[in-house]
Amino acid sequence: MNPDRLIPGILLDSAISRAGMHFATLVGMLWGGVWSTGRVERRGELWVFRGMPRRTFRRGGQCVGRCYLTGDEPVSAAVLRHESVHVAQWRRYGMLFPVLNGLAGRDALRNRFEIEAGLRDGNYL
């Protein structure tokens, strides 16, 4: 069963979800603006904030709205593809996305959002 069927359609791919994505992007920009010590650049739809202290993001990096927050590691084309899928997920679910992603679990190999974004591109495999 597709879990999205349990979510009212007005919340998916809608003005409401896009407003949530824009709010999350604002939060990501503020967080990245405060903590980033590296280069900030636009890569497609993503704003990439580098030089973030390790304690300010999870794993290799974190997508918040249209912001990718990461440390000093190089950002590959594969990682950008992976994070771009997360941007589409933010657009579809808005502020439901962090809740749904949390409910999907921390194990990337079982998390439907990480699987959809590409486990290999996200360096999970």
Side-chain angles (χ1 to χ4, degrees):
M1 179 177 99
N2 181 356
D4 286 4
R5 291 185 0 194
L6 302 173
I7 301 170
I10 193 168
L11 299 178
L12 300 175
D13 284 323
S14 67
I16 294 170
S17 66
R18 285 188 298 280
M21 180 193 66
H22 293 308
F23 175 75
T25 300
L26 177 62
V27 170
M29 287 187 159
L30 291 171
W31 190 251
V34 167
W35 292 105
S36 177
T37 61
R39 207 168 75 204
V40 177
E41 64 181 328
R42 180 126 185 231
R43 302 285 298 268
E45 281 192 277
L46 282 168
W47 286 97
V48 179
F49 290 82
R50 297 182 187 183
M52 302 282 294
R54 185 65 192 107
R55 68 185 181 279
T56 63
F57 62 92
R58 287 188 19 199
R59 212 173 164 275
Q62 181 123 15
C63 184
V64 180
R66 291 177 45 221
C67 299
Y68 179 55
L69 310 171
T70 191
D72 293 320
E73 305 82 21
V75 179
S76 69
V79 167
L80 290 173
R81 271 193 311 272
H82 178 90
E83 299 306 327
S84 291
V85 174
H86 288 318
V87 170
Q89 292 166 339
W90 274 101
R91 187 178 300 108
R92 176 165 176 73
Y93 299 103
M95 292 308 294
L96 288 176
F97 181 58
V99 174
L100 295 171
N101 195 21
L103 291 172
R106 297 193 103 182
D107 180 358
L109 302 178
R110 296 174 190 252
N111 180 307
R112 72 182 185 114
F113 300 105
E114 295 299 344
I115 293 168
E116 181 182 326
L119 297 174
R120 189 168 311 284
D121 282 351
N123 292 320
Y124 289 106
L125 298 178

